Amino acid sequence: MSYQQLTSHYRTISHLDNVLGLLHWDMATMMPKGSAQARSAEATTLKSICHGLKTKPDIEDWIDAAKGESLGDWDKANLREIEREYNQANALPTDLVAAMSDAISACEIAWLKARPANDFQSLCPYLERVFELVREQAHVLSDRSGLTQYDALLDLYEPGYSSAQLDTVFAELESFLPNLVGEIIEHQERMGPIVKPSGPFDIEIQKQLGRDLMDALGFNFDHGRLDVSAHPFCGGSPDDVRITTRYTADDFMQSIMGVIHETGHALYERGLPNSFRGQPVGRARSMGIHESQSLLMEMQACRSPEFVSYLAPRLRAAFGATGPGWSTGEMLRSYLEVRRGLIRVDADEATYPLHVILRYRLEKALLSGDLALADLPSAWNDGMRELVGIVPETDTNGCMQDIHWHMGSVGYFPTYTLGALNAAQLFEQAVTDIPSIPDEIGQGNFSGLVTWVRESVHQKGSLLSPNDLMVSATGRPLDPSVFKRHIKRRYLEQ
Amino acid sequence: MSYQQLTSHYRTISHLDNVLGLLHWDMATMMPKGSAQARSAEATTLKSICHGLKTKPDIEDWIDAAKGESLGDWDKANLREIEREYNQANALPTDLVAAMSDAISACEIAWLKARPANDFQSLCPYLERVFELVREQAHVLSDRSGLTQYDALLDLYEPGYSSAQLDTVFAELESFLPNLVGEIIEHQERMGPIVKPSGPFDIEIQKQLGRDLMDALGFNFDHGRLDVSAHPFCGGSPDDVRITTRYTADDFMQSIMGVIHETGHALYERGLPNSFRGQPVGRARSMGIHESQSLLMEMQACRSPEFVSYLAPRLRAAFGATGPGWSTGEMLRSYLEVRRGLIRVDADEATYPLHVILRYRLEKALLSGDLALADLPSAWNDGMRELVGIVPETDTNGCMQDIHWHMGSVGYFPTYTLGALNAAQLFEQAVTDIPSIPDEIGQGNFSGLVTWVRESVHQKGSLLSPNDLMVSATGRPLDPSVFKRHIKRRYLEQ
């Protein structure tokens, strides 16, 4: 049966993808620095073998034959995802892929130098080359799929999503969020300055706290690890999920919430349907759904008053600390502080979407050519003034802060905000279905919430499109008004 | 050029072998236990891809064509090693390889149960099956190579070595070693009981001591790591050498010498010729040469009075300890204690070859069928009585103690003793060439010794056969009288 040849072939591919996941994890956590060059050559070899398997010409024949075979719903969806993956792997001509890889390497190196030096001009030709090739990529993908060029890129990260949908959703956010942020900041200022615990905070204690929270959230250490890396991530594979965080003795709040965020990603990977392990339909659905799972844990569940009332006494006990910054009320204020900041990755949940909308506008304009790269810094600053109400003094903290464009990722930024909106909607639905969830979370008990997301999201793998998954889980498509309600309630009404 | 096609192909293979090395390291050190099944499937996929590359039919044509090309000495030797590797990879029919893999898996599982239960009978059919397939393997290899069946297996681990040579070398050892061991034990007893430091010994201190010694020996932590595993090993790859050890709070001597032993292996891997990285001629020569590098460091250099006089005060300082067991003289006695023991891996350097000779005799007899497996326990006990002068009360501590036969490794045991003899001869030559080496070691300075072995052994890769390598490094072939001289001098004359 051709379908079986396909599943066997994609199981092999998934094994190699998992090995690549492990190589990447090792590189970021364990590898001695002198081994980078050798490791990079090894990973390139493995990737090229993997690419060979993904573009094997037999696949097309197997797909055609499998379409005539009698398949159940999951297998049909698997066939659809296989075809999608095959088309993506085959879409780009080899010389474009190679040119892209070279241009990205050069641009990343240039970015690593130019960013700290606040030297956008020296970066410009490298980034220009990357965008040139991204345009070519978008052109090819668009020709194959019939999608617009931007949508063809977006589809790589959020299948079935369109910029028309994004325009609607983001317009809605823009209509209330800038003003709402202003109101929240005023509201928080009226309550006086936030007193924060002061360090140093023992790193071993932070590690143990992180592990205890992972336990509470249901992370299975028989199938995963927690380690340290410069940039936190969730990697490995569904049967061996490896998350990382970073510690600083000045601040424990970052590592604690970082661990919870990555644990949300990890629970998703681990909860994917076991019977479709290694098959395209058994994978996580999209970046926007993945991010919803981390933000559901970090933002929705663990910055709630209920959870902070569980967490605060445990933090006091762990660090043996007392004083005004350690009261439950004050810790909640710390965890919910809203600021007009320059840096996306440091942004709170209220301002974060505004950073994303800026990038979405700019990357669309850069892709279409409506915005010249030389004009990016001023366009960035104008957008920051309008959306966030603050202007960076340097491009270092402005248009050069993120790595995404320099590595050719265009169409990725929106998925962060889709994740936040999905998370709000999923959490609201979970609490509607199981009203005891907030109280349970207040006791450090996540089993109700985790069971709900496992059934409603994790176990679905890639059976449904992101849109249909939201309908299946919450009864309706993505609705930004839930996020609005969440922000207003949490920041103005509590 | 066909030769270039070969080097490019074998570079690809080495990348995958290195990745497999990393997977194995991770499995033993980092992997959560629940991931074993998934990891095993991933490793199997990668091994099978690797096997496909190693048996690619084009290789034969490339080899034939390359033989007509004009090549330098190293490239000629590389071509010879490539042919050797290709022939080995192609020698065994696929169904024999698969049957072997199944039989070994089953036998290992049976062994893990039978050994602690002292139940050789239940193990017997599984081991019988493994030996049956090993005989078939030896038959096929022998037909291809023209070697005897045992030699065809030995050649997998020690290229060019023969059982005729082993018979001579082992006969020489048998002629003096059992009596010499008796003399040494009497000699040591006359000096009264050895006083040993008593624990517990902080494991963090042991770790730091191990790292300090690795530094002293010249281990480059920019290209390697030290971690913990149940069974110590040296793994990874030449640019990323990962050694492991194990710690117990009862005893630090084991972890310290274990680290030094594995560091000897690691220095070899790291010292292999950089210009032939990833090529068969650039690999470590053989198991017997590899073991010589660990034993040269552990036995020759680091159990010497010079080194112990360097080590002992550092141990006292690290553990903040005083007392009779901690004097330099008494620590040297501890490190040189000779005992008639049952367990090979715990044996001192004087009795170790006797354990190996027993296994060599038995595995030859089992392979040829001269010894029936049912008679193995009594043959084992007879041999132990004759060679080591002690008889195990259980098969657990007798013929079931080692995993090697259960995983189909026949012809491997002799390489441990070849390693010990090589080590004695190489060390003696190094000291002849650079007489200051013992004094330098007494100051914790290994640079002279490491430079010597790097030039004489490491940098040769697989350019020469093990025999020729010994001639090149020491001016003569393997000569067991050097080992005899070493043992007599160290244990009776000092």
Side-chain angles (χ1 to χ4, degrees):
Chain A
M1 220 172 99
S2 295
Y3 177 68
Q4 275 171 349
Q5 284 173 298
L6 284 170
T7 56
S8 155
H9 188 68
Y10 279 85
R11 190 172 305 113
T12 298
I13 290 172
S14 83
H15 289 163
L16 299 190
D17 279 338
N18 291 350
V19 171
L20 280 165
L22 187 77
L23 291 187
H24 175 259
W25 170 86
D26 184 83
M27 218 178 308
T29 56
M30 298 289 160
M31 188 183 78
K33 62 175 191 256
S35 314
Q37 206 183 340
R39 173 64 57 83
S40 159
E42 289 152 15
T44 300
T45 292
L46 198 54
K47 274 182 212 160
S48 122
I49 288 171
C50 217
H51 184 72
L53 293 176
K54 286 177 180 173
T55 54
K56 192 180 156 97
D58 295 343
I59 296 175
E60 200 160 350
D61 301 334
W62 291 336
I63 290 174
D64 285 344
K67 282 179 179 171
E69 288 166 2
S70 158
L71 301 174
D73 287 345
W74 273 86
D75 293 313
K76 264 186 211 154
N78 194 29
L79 187 56
R80 176 197 70 213
E81 294 299 317
I82 285 172
E83 188 164 17
R84 185 180 139 73
E85 167 147 343
Y86 175 75
N87 284 337
Q88 268 174 18
N90 275 276
L92 301 180
T94 317
D95 52 350
L96 177 56
V97 173
M100 195 80 159
S101 167
D102 290 346
I104 287 169
S105 291
C107 188
E108 280 189 31
I109 292 164
W111 175 71
L112 286 171
K113 275 179 69 179
R115 187 174 65 151
N118 190 34
D119 183 7
F120 181 74
Q121 204 156 0
S122 80
L123 175 62
C124 219
Y126 296 97
L127 191 54
E128 184 65 61
R129 174 72 180 143
V130 170
F131 262 97
E132 200 177 288
L133 293 165
V134 168
R135 273 181 219 112
E136 214 174 309
Q137 182 193 8
H139 183 77
V140 174
L141 292 173
S142 163
D143 274 359
R144 260 187 105 113
S145 61
L147 299 172
T148 69
Q149 297 198 4
Y150 186 84
D151 286 1
L153 297 175
L154 178 63
D155 191 71
L156 297 173
Y157 310 109
E158 207 62 22
Y161 228 81
S162 69
S163 52
Q165 282 173 288
L166 283 180
D167 288 341
T168 309
V169 168
F170 286 176
E172 165 82 11
L173 292 176
E174 278 180 61
S175 74
F176 67 83
L177 207 46
N179 287 336
L180 193 53
V181 164
E183 277 181 63
I184 293 170
I185 290 172
E186 276 175 37
H187 178 73
Q188 292 190 340
E189 278 173 356
R190 275 197 301 274
M191 300 174 69
I194 299 172
V195 183
K196 293 181 186 176
S198 67
F201 306 103
D202 186 279
I203 284 175
E204 287 310 312
I205 295 175
Q206 293 190 49
K207 283 188 184 173
Q208 191 52 51
L209 276 166
R211 291 181 63 93
D212 290 346
L213 289 171
M214 289 166 75
D215 269 333
L217 266 69
F219 185 93
N220 180 353
F221 280 96
D222 276 355
H223 281 278
R225 295 177 53 93
L226 169 66
D227 292 281
V228 177
S229 68
H231 302 285
F233 65 92
C234 169
S237 52
D239 289 316
D240 191 352
V241 191
R242 301 191 175 190
I243 71 169
T244 68
T245 190
R246 58 185 159 200
Y247 301 96
T248 153
D250 301 337
D251 177 24
F252 63 86
M253 299 180 67
Q254 190 195 356
S255 79
I256 295 288
M257 282 299 156
V259 162
I260 291 170
H261 182 97
E262 300 306 334
T263 301
H265 282 305
L267 292 172
Y268 186 17
E269 286 293 315
R270 185 78 199 112
L272 290 167
N274 202 41
S275 45
F276 283 87
R277 259 309 175 269
Q279 295 303 316
V281 77
R283 295 197 200 136
R285 176 62 279 188
S286 69
M287 304 317 292
I289 300 296
H290 228 310
E291 193 69 8
S292 81
Q293 295 308 293
S294 52
L295 293 177
L296 183 126
M297 287 302 164
E298 182 199 345
M299 294 296 179
Q300 297 294 322
C302 292
R303 294 190 196 243
S304 68
E306 291 84 0
F307 184 72
V308 175
S309 73
Y310 167 83
L311 179 64
R314 277 158 186 83
L315 292 173
R316 290 193 291 268
F319 292 111
T322 51
W326 293 90
S327 74
T328 301
E330 206 62 18
M331 299 214 72
L332 183 61
R333 290 188 69 202
S334 284
Y335 270 122
L336 295 182
E337 186 181 13
V338 172
R339 292 185 314 111
R340 299 186 198 278
L342 295 173
I343 307 297
R344 175 185 59 84
V345 296
D346 296 336
D348 54 83
E349 64 175 331
T351 55
Y352 203 112
L354 300 169
H355 292 272
V356 167
I357 290 170
L358 169 66
R359 287 155 178 76
Y360 170 65
R361 283 185 192 172
L362 296 174
E363 69 183 10
K364 274 208 304 183
L366 288 168
L367 185 74
S368 68
D370 287 350
L371 176 65
L373 209 50
D375 300 330
L376 176 62
S378 62
W380 183 282
N381 293 354
D382 291 348
M384 281 295 288
R385 186 179 300 111
E386 179 203 335
L387 288 163
V388 188
I390 182 175
V391 177
E393 288 180 3
T394 62
D395 297 331
T396 304
N397 292 328
C399 66
M400 287 197 290
Q401 68 181 266
D402 293 309
I403 197 174
H404 300 59
W405 292 336
H406 308 93
M407 50 190 285
S409 295
V410 173
Y412 189 107
F413 281 121
T415 67
Y416 291 116
T417 289
L418 291 176
L421 305 186
N422 288 334
Q425 188 167 330
L426 289 167
F427 190 74
E428 189 182 79
Q429 188 64 43
V431 174
T432 303
D433 291 350
I434 311 174
S436 59
I437 282 177
D439 286 346
E440 289 168 16
I441 289 173
Q443 286 151 23
N445 172 8
F446 287 79
S447 60
L449 177 60
V450 169
T451 303
W452 190 90
V453 287
R454 186 147 288 168
E455 283 170 13
S456 312
V457 179
H458 305 178
Q459 286 286 308
K460 305 287 186 196
S462 287
L463 182 65
L464 308 169
S465 72
N467 278 319
D468 290 348
L469 180 59
M470 288 303 292
V471 173
S472 146
T474 69
R476 63 199 192 287
L478 184 61
D479 171 6
S481 73
V482 184
F483 179 75
K484 180 178 181 180
R485 192 154 60 232
H486 159 70
I487 296 290
K488 286 182 93 162
R489 192 185 299 137
R490 174 171 281 179
Y491 291 90
L492 292 177
E493 292 161 18
Q494 269 178 345
Chain B
M1 216 171 102
S2 294
Y3 176 68
Q4 275 172 349
Q5 285 174 298
L6 284 170
T7 55
S8 154
H9 188 68
Y10 278 86
R11 189 171 306 115
T12 298
I13 289 173
S14 83
H15 289 163
L16 299 190
D17 279 338
N18 291 350
V19 172
L20 280 165
L22 186 78
L23 291 188
H24 176 259
W25 169 85
D26 184 82
M27 220 179 306
T29 55
M30 298 290 159
M31 189 184 76
K33 62 175 192 258
S35 315
Q37 208 183 337
R39 173 64 56 83
S40 160
E42 288 152 16
T44 300
T45 292
L46 198 53
K47 274 182 209 159
S48 126
I49 288 171
C50 216
H51 183 73
L53 293 176
K54 286 177 181 175
T55 54
K56 192 179 156 96
D58 295 343
I59 296 176
E60 201 160 349
D61 300 334
W62 292 336
I63 290 173
D64 286 344
K67 282 178 178 170
E69 288 165 3
S70 159
L71 301 175
D73 287 348
W74 273 86
D75 292 313
K76 265 186 209 150
N78 194 30
L79 186 56
R80 178 197 70 215
E81 294 299 317
I82 285 172
E83 188 165 17
R84 185 180 139 72
E85 168 148 342
Y86 175 74
N87 285 336
Q88 269 175 18
N90 275 277
L92 302 180
T94 317
D95 52 350
L96 177 56
V97 173
M100 196 78 157
S101 167
D102 290 347
I104 287 169
S105 291
C107 188
E108 280 190 31
I109 292 164
W111 175 72
L112 286 171
K113 275 179 70 177
R115 187 172 67 149
N118 190 33
D119 182 7
F120 182 75
Q121 204 156 0
S122 79
L123 176 62
C124 221
Y126 297 97
L127 191 53
E128 184 67 61
R129 174 71 180 142
V130 170
F131 263 96
E132 201 176 285
L133 293 166
V134 169
R135 274 182 217 110
E136 214 173 308
Q137 180 192 9
H139 183 76
V140 174
L141 292 172
S142 162
D143 274 359
R144 263 188 103 114
S145 61
L147 300 171
T148 70
Q149 295 198 5
Y150 186 84
D151 286 0
L153 297 175
L154 179 61
D155 191 71
L156 297 173
Y157 310 109
E158 207 62 23
Y161 229 80
S162 69
S163 52
Q165 284 173 286
L166 283 181
D167 288 341
T168 310
V169 169
F170 287 175
E172 166 81 10
L173 292 177
E174 278 181 61
S175 73
F176 67 83
L177 206 45
N179 287 336
L180 193 54
V181 163
E183 277 180 63
I184 293 170
I185 290 172
E186 276 175 36
H187 178 73
Q188 293 190 339
E189 278 173 355
R190 274 197 301 276
M191 300 175 70
I194 299 172
V195 183
K196 292 181 186 174
S198 67
F201 306 103
D202 186 280
I203 284 174
E204 287 308 312
I205 295 175
Q206 294 190 49
K207 283 187 185 175
Q208 191 52 51
L209 277 166
R211 290 181 64 94
D212 290 348
L213 290 170
M214 289 167 74
D215 268 333
L217 267 71
F219 185 94
N220 180 354
F221 281 96
D222 276 354
H223 280 278
R225 295 177 52 94
L226 168 66
D227 294 280
V228 177
S229 68
H231 302 283
F233 66 91
C234 169
S237 53
D239 289 315
D240 190 353
V241 192
R242 302 192 175 189
I243 72 170
T244 68
T245 191
R246 58 186 158 201
Y247 301 97
T248 151
D250 300 338
D251 178 24
F252 63 86
M253 300 180 67
Q254 191 195 357
S255 79
I256 296 286
M257 282 298 156
V259 163
I260 291 170
H261 182 98
E262 300 306 334
T263 301
H265 283 305
L267 292 173
Y268 186 16
E269 286 293 316
R270 185 80 199 110
L272 291 167
N274 201 41
S275 44
F276 283 88
R277 261 307 176 272
Q279 295 303 315
V281 77
R283 294 197 200 136
R285 176 62 278 186
S286 69
M287 304 317 294
I289 300 296
H290 228 309
E291 193 68 9
S292 81
Q293 295 308 295
S294 52
L295 293 176
L296 183 125
M297 287 302 164
E298 182 198 346
M299 293 296 178
Q300 298 293 323
C302 293
R303 293 189 197 246
S304 67
E306 290 84 1
F307 184 72
V308 175
S309 74
Y310 167 84
L311 179 64
R314 276 157 187 83
L315 292 173
R316 289 193 291 270
F319 292 111
T322 52
W326 293 90
S327 74
T328 300
E330 207 61 18
M331 298 215 71
L332 183 61
R333 291 188 69 203
S334 283
Y335 269 122
L336 295 181
E337 185 180 15
V338 172
R339 292 185 313 110
R340 300 186 197 278
L342 296 172
I343 306 298
R344 175 184 59 82
V345 296
D346 296 336
D348 54 82
E349 64 174 330
T351 54
Y352 202 112
L354 301 170
H355 292 272
V356 167
I357 291 170
L358 169 67
R359 286 155 179 76
Y360 170 65
R361 283 185 192 172
L362 296 174
E363 69 183 10
K364 276 211 302 185
L366 288 169
L367 186 73
S368 69
D370 287 350
L371 176 64
L373 209 51
D375 300 329
L376 176 62
S378 61
W380 183 284
N381 293 354
D382 292 348
M384 281 296 288
R385 186 179 300 110
E386 181 203 333
L387 288 162
V388 188
I390 181 176
V391 178
E393 288 180 3
T394 61
D395 297 331
T396 303
N397 292 329
C399 66
M400 286 197 292
Q401 68 182 265
D402 294 310
I403 197 174
H404 300 59
W405 293 335
H406 307 93
M407 49 190 285
S409 295
V410 172
Y412 188 108
F413 281 121
T415 68
Y416 290 116
T417 289
L418 291 177
L421 305 185
N422 289 334
Q425 188 166 327
L426 290 167
F427 190 75
E428 191 183 78
Q429 188 64 43
V431 173
T432 303
D433 292 349
I434 310 175
S436 58
I437 282 177
D439 285 347
E440 288 169 15
I441 289 174
Q443 286 150 24
N445 171 8
F446 287 79
S447 59
L449 178 60
V450 169
T451 303
W452 190 90
V453 288
R454 186 147 288 169
E455 282 170 13
S456 312
V457 179
H458 305 178
Q459 286 287 307
K460 305 287 188 199
S462 286
L463 181 66
L464 307 168
S465 73
N467 278 319
D468 291 346
L469 180 60
M470 288 304 290
V471 173
S472 147
T474 70
R476 62 201 193 286
L478 185 62
D479 171 6
S481 74
V482 184
F483 180 75
K484 181 179 182 180
R485 190 153 62 232
H486 160 69
I487 296 290
K488 286 181 94 161
R489 192 185 298 139
R490 172 171 283 180
Y491 292 92
L492 293 176
E493 292 161 20
Q494 270 178 346

